[in-house]
Amino acid sequence: GAVVSQHPSRVICKSGTSVKIECRSLDFQATTMFWYRQFPKQSLMLMATSNEGSKATYEQGVEKDKFLINHASLTLSTLTVTSAHPEDSSFYICSARDERVSSYNSPLHFGNGTRLTVT
Amino acid sequence: GENVEQHPSTLSVQEGDSAVIKCTYSDSASNYFPWYKQELGKRPQLIIDIRSNVGEKKDQRIAVTLNKTAKHFSLHITETQPEDSAVYFCAATSYNFNKFYFGSGTKLNVKP
């Protein structure tokens, strides 16, 4: 089955520092990856769509300079939270479709998520 | 874009009873509807999905129904067990969107 690996699973950082989160598709290539943010007891909110070899597409209200996304290869996307503040504390989850199955009519496979705490 | 609404937000059932979670969507172009189960602090896991060319799909104790005309789809869990307790999310997508729209989630509590 399709496996998406995300690291780190948990990070605590001080306010003002930057944090990088990695998302890898382990056994398939993903030209597109999706980054979600989830607050406690809430739904998955799409932040941005990461496109291999081109700029990410951000959802309305998401600051692209705050959340930097890089999709440098077909198996790796990174999300960098720059100058983190306590309000950035959240659960960040990446996901990807297994494009071997279908480019659109197949499920998302999620990484384990990263619990970010900014002190 | 698409708008997915999910009800109820919380659901408590007795072990062995059935549970039903309902979702509606707004865009008739949506043609793929997965359901995810998320346990506390863990990743969402796909439990069942349905494509718009079928009206019902079943996998053991779990079934999903789709009514394209009314634009709603439902998750049915029979003979519920305590390990079914989790948050369940519905979602909708289509080729036009290239993104998934998620419902707000249902917290299911199965009481032993």
Side-chain angles (χ1 to χ4, degrees), chain A residues 71-112:
Chain A
H71 196 146
S73 77
L74 287 170
T75 59
L76 173 64
S77 175
T78 60
L79 168 67
T80 301
V81 183
T82 63
S83 187
H85 291 285
E87 56 266 30
D88 299 324
S89 299
S90 190
F91 192 55
Y92 294 87
I93 316 177
C94 69
S95 64
R97 276 187 168 116
D98 184 349
E99 294 167 11
R100 298 170 298 183
V101 176
S102 167
S103 62
Y104 64 95
N105 205 13
S106 60
L108 285 179
H109 300 278
F110 287 89
N112 268 330

Side-chain angles (χ1 to χ4, degrees), chain B:
Chain B
E2 174 65 281
N3 181 41
V4 178
E5 294 191 355
Q6 183 172 346
H7 300 280
S9 57
T10 59
L11 179 59
S12 287
V13 299
Q14 207 66 40
E15 181 178 1
D17 288 349
S18 294
V20 180
I21 303 171
K22 298 181 179 181
C23 288
T24 61
Y25 60 100
S26 60
D27 197 319
S28 56
S30 289
N31 60 4
Y32 177 65
F33 309 91
W35 284 88
Y36 288 86
K37 175 183 179 182
Q38 187 180 28
E39 297 177 358
L40 190 62
K42 297 189 176 180
R43 76 177 91 191
Q45 298 268 23
L46 177 73
I47 56 171
I48 197 167
D49 57 8
I50 190 166
R51 292 173 175 83
S52 59
N53 57 346
V54 299
E56 184 174 358
K57 183 177 178 181
K58 189 173 181 180
D59 182 3
Q60 299 183 333
R61 297 186 298 109
I62 296 173
V64 58
T65 58
L66 170 66
N67 183 326
K68 286 191 295 183
T69 303
K71 297 196 190 71
H72 67 70
F73 56 112
S74 301
L75 177 71
H76 304 254
I77 306 174
T78 59
E79 300 172 29
T80 54
Q81 302 166 2
E83 49 265 38
D84 293 330
S85 296
V87 178
Y88 292 81
F89 293 99
C90 63
T93 188
S94 82
Y95 179 71
N96 296 337
F97 305 146
N98 194 32
K99 63 177 71 171
F100 283 71
Y101 293 88
F102 282 84
S104 53
T106 296
K107 184 175 182 181
L108 174 63
N109 179 36
V110 181
K111 295 175 283 186

Side-chain angles (χ1 to χ4, degrees), chain A residues 12-25:
Chain A
I12 301 172
C13 70
K14 291 186 177 180
S15 188
T17 61
S18 295
V19 174
K20 180 185 282 190
I21 303 170
E22 290 189 349
C23 181
R24 294 179 186 273
S25 55

Side-chain angles (χ1 to χ4, degrees), chain A residues 7 31-32 39 49 88 101 104:
Chain A
H7 294 281
T31 56
T32 303
F39 290 104
T49 301
D88 299 324
V101 176
Y104 64 95

